Amino acid sequence: MNVLGEMYYCERCGEHKFVKYIGSGPYRDGMTVHITADGFEGAVGWTKHDDMDFCPKCSEKYDLMMKDFLSCKEN
């Protein structure tokens, strides 16, 4: 059985997560399947930085790295 969804890949460590489509039923127009963009489960903890997806663990590391970088810049 095929399941509609999106696959997230962490750009840093390669971890991946599949989120299912939970929106109102998709409809078919010939061979094209139409779905709504807001109909996907949330990828909890996953963030997007500079157009890259990061898993929760790497998001935390990225945020700490940027915090350290910006604190050095202020001094």
Side-chain angles (χ1 to χ4, degrees), residues 7-58:
M7 184 67 81
Y8 286 86
Y9 290 97
C10 180
E11 304 281 343
R12 186 173 180 274
C13 71
E15 182 178 332
H16 56 277
K17 178 178 179 80
F18 180 79
V19 293
K20 293 180 183 176
Y21 180 72
I22 56 172
S24 60
Y27 68 92
R28 218 176 259 252
D29 179 20
M31 293 298 292
T32 306
V33 176
H34 297 275
I35 57 176
T36 58
D38 60 343
F40 293 96
E41 292 178 340
V44 178
W46 285 70
T47 58
K48 190 176 257 329
H49 297 286
D50 299 325
D51 256 356
M52 297 185 298
D53 291 324
F54 289 150
C55 69
K57 190 170 32 173
C58 292

